[in-house]
Amino acid sequence: MRTNKIDRYACALMLVGLMLIGCRRVTDFGPVANPAAAVKVREALLGEAGSGEEGAAVATGTGWASLKGTFIFDGTPPEMEPYNVNKDQAACTINGKAPLQQTLLVDSATKGIANVAVFVRKVSRVHESAEPEGGQVLFDQKQCVFLSHVFPFVLGNTMDIKNSDPVGHNTNIEGKNSFNQTIPVGETIAFKPQKEEAVPVSVRCSIHPWMLAYFLPRENGYVAITSEDGSFEIANLPAGEDLEFQVWHESAAGPGKSLILDSPEAKELKWSKKGRFKIKLDEDEVKELNLNVPSSAFGL
């Protein structure tokens, strides 16, 4: 009799257990993430996607190298017309003559093209010479013209916007580092941009609307603006790695004012329809490019 009671008691406990299991809600949260595996996958994809839109460059080489070159206008360059100076003529002209526009400046002796911007889009390593120094960089205006027509800038420095004219100016910088202030006569206003731009952005003066310049803030000093003879040089670039350069000019016909070339020299560099080319430099190499630019590359 006692054994039968124990058996009945055990069966009752089993029945209650089954009922509890049947009533319990079971949630399937899917597979559990493996942090170590996720890190390996991200590292494998970093060169293509990375954490940002374009991804981060991965160091694959050692040492440093330099790139230099010249942009030469192939053909007869257009003559620049004077600016339409319609106010403050005493301060904004030179001996009564308005300054010439700077839309496309070509050296008469060498046919070199000035104000072409050449810069690396992303790098894995930065030489100390290309890092910001934390100093002041002067951006001046005189005779109602910005003295730096294309103004490169390394983030971390301070931009001193100066007015060397006897009349007031308004400096209006477009883009991510928006700035719009009046610069009184003889004064300087300090401005510290914080964000990099993919291409140069315009700088204007609303008081004197013919005034125009371009501002190019970058995270490092791997940027050059061609001089009057069309030459440029970027020193201490990461060697042994694929570097992609962007080439820009304010009158270029490509998208975003990118300068597009299809010359034999450009084809060797696999020049893209976005005004970009790639190159890998050997350690301690000084690579020189001589690039002919046809008039058709400009939208004038």
Side-chain angles (χ1 to χ4, degrees), residues 34-104:
N34 186 329
V39 170
K40 290 182 179 179
V41 171
R42 184 178 183 278
E43 290 177 348
L45 297 176
L46 191 58
E48 294 295 332
S51 58
E53 181 180 350
E54 297 179 355
V58 178
T60 58
T62 58
W64 311 97
S66 297
L67 179 68
K68 60 191 302 184
T70 307
F71 288 84
I72 303 297
F73 191 89
D74 186 6
T76 302
E79 294 184 4
M80 293 292 97
E81 298 291 331
Y83 286 112
N84 181 24
V85 178
N86 53 18
K87 63 186 302 185
D88 293 328
Q89 280 86 355
C92 300
T93 60
I94 304 172
N95 297 324
K97 294 183 179 180
L100 299 179
Q101 299 179 27
Q102 303 176 67
T103 307
L104 178 57

Side-chain angles (χ1 to χ4, degrees), residues 168-209:
H169 286 299
N170 163 262
T171 300
N172 186 350
I173 302 174
E174 296 182 346
K176 299 176 183 177
N177 302 283
S178 179
F179 178 92
N180 189 359
Q181 291 190 34
T182 297
I183 316 297
V185 173
E187 292 194 13
T188 300
I189 293 180
F191 173 52
K192 195 163 187 177
Q194 302 293 324
K195 297 180 180 180
E196 184 178 68
E197 295 283 1
V199 294
V201 296
S202 64
V203 184
R204 299 180 183 274
C205 173
S206 59
I207 300 174
H208 307 95

Side-chain angles (χ1 to χ4, degrees), residues 58-64 124-125 237-242 280-281 283:
V58 178
T60 58
T62 58
W64 311 97
S124 65
R125 299 177 286 123
L237 290 159
E241 305 174 17
D242 287 326
K280 180 185 289 187
L281 302 170
E283 188 169 352

Side-chain angles (χ1 to χ4, degrees), residues 3-4 6 14-15 21 91 105 107 115 118 132 188 215 223 226 276 284 290 293 296:
T3 301
N4 292 337
I6 292 174
M14 291 176 64
L15 180 61
I21 292 173
L105 298 181
D107 184 68
N115 296 323
V118 184
T188 300
F215 175 54
V223 55
T226 56
R276 302 170 186 173
D284 297 325
N290 294 305
V293 184
S296 58

